[in-house]
Amino acid sequence: MRYLLIVICAALVSACATSSETRELKLGHSLAVSHPVHTGMVYMAERLEEISGGKMSMTIYPSGQLGNERETLELLQIGSLAMTKVSAAVLENFAPNFRVLGLPYIFESEDHMYRVLDGEIGEELLGQGEQYRFRGLCYYDAGSRSFYTKDKPVYTPEDLKGMKIRVMKSNTAVNMVNQLGGSPTPISFGELYTALQQGVVDGAENNPPSFYSSRHYEVCKYYTLDEHTSVPDVLLVSMVWWNRLSEQEQTWLKQAATESVGYQRKVWAESVLESLAAVKAAGVEVIIPEKQDFSSIVNPIYEAYKDDAEKFELIMKIRALADEK
């Protein structure tokens, strides 16, 4: 019933237009308005209107108003919503090659990640969703994900044993937590605060801005910066809507999205520092562990990909970019 209401709501929203001369796009996502990724999308909307001379506009529906990440992605596929933002981890359930971006410690540094996402590999992946009726426009920085826990601090992987850790609905995330000895528990982000409060899970993993903006620090007082994954967010457009746009409109939209990337990365970097300072002030113990302890344990995950020639070749290409300057 909830999904049906979302479809009806999105369809009604999409049917509206500000005027007969303006192409209006609707973008729905699950983040709070204080989140730096939302800030990046607001910048994109502003640039789109400027670049198009007012011929295109974008209305953003944040905080899960039109559904969670999987639901908005499904709305894109049927054309009831023009655009959304999802984690690459969610995309792996639709376009399988995105799975490699969620592998633990696949990126050796932030610069390495940017070389991958801004280069041929990133561009190729953005186009692989077309057969699933959506296409990627750009990547937003979602930082590095780390563990935060409620009652017990995590200093080494051994501390995760027996702990129920919330993960995204991603096989890669589930495999990683299993490998580290924890008990992965997929729960939607919107339900996580309550799940932590009620003890459904013992902890979760996410980046500093999300940990802070979600107010999960009110429940979890230990944050271990193991930085196991750096899964980017992906801005998507429905192929139904993309094919409705003229070539000029497509160019304007792509330009606005691309310009928003640099702005969002700057805002993100500032937000990470502010978020860490804020959770520390709120009494959270921020732990800096030995990353090698974690990365060495998850290495077997890569061995499983040797039987998947396409994904293993992609992994090798990503690793080859680590040493380039």
Side-chain angles (χ1 to χ4, degrees), residues 105 147 152-163 176-182 224 226 289-298:
Y105 302 104
F147 293 109
K152 175 185 171 185
V154 173
Y155 298 102
T156 67
E158 286 72 25
D159 295 323
L160 286 167
K161 290 182 179 178
M163 297 181 71
M176 177 194 67
V177 173
N178 271 327
Q179 193 70 36
L180 289 169
T224 303
D226 64 298
E290 179 54 59
K291 291 184 185 179
Q292 180 62 31
D293 293 342
F294 291 82
S295 62
S296 60
I297 290 179
V298 298

Side-chain angles (χ1 to χ4, degrees), residues 307-320:
D307 296 329
D308 188 328
E310 184 177 7
K311 292 185 183 64
F312 191 70
E313 180 182 3
L314 186 55
I315 290 169
M316 291 298 99
K317 287 181 178 179
I318 289 174
R319 285 183 162 175

Side-chain angles (χ1 to χ4, degrees), residues 69-70 73-74 77 90-96 128 132 134:
E69 288 197 331
R70 187 177 184 91
L73 191 50
E74 290 170 348
Q77 291 181 303
V90 174
L91 278 180
E92 73 179 48
N93 298 307
F94 295 83
Q128 289 186 2
Y132 305 99
F134 57 78

Side-chain angles (χ1 to χ4, degrees), residues 226-254:
D226 64 298
E227 299 182 326
H228 45 260
T229 54
S230 298
V231 187
D233 280 340
V234 187
L235 181 69
L236 301 172
V237 61
S238 164
M239 286 304 298
V240 175
W241 278 84
W242 182 256
N243 292 330
R244 289 176 184 170
L245 302 180
S246 67
E247 185 175 343
Q248 179 65 79
E249 289 172 328
Q250 291 176 352
T251 299
W252 286 334
L253 180 57
K254 181 65 176 177

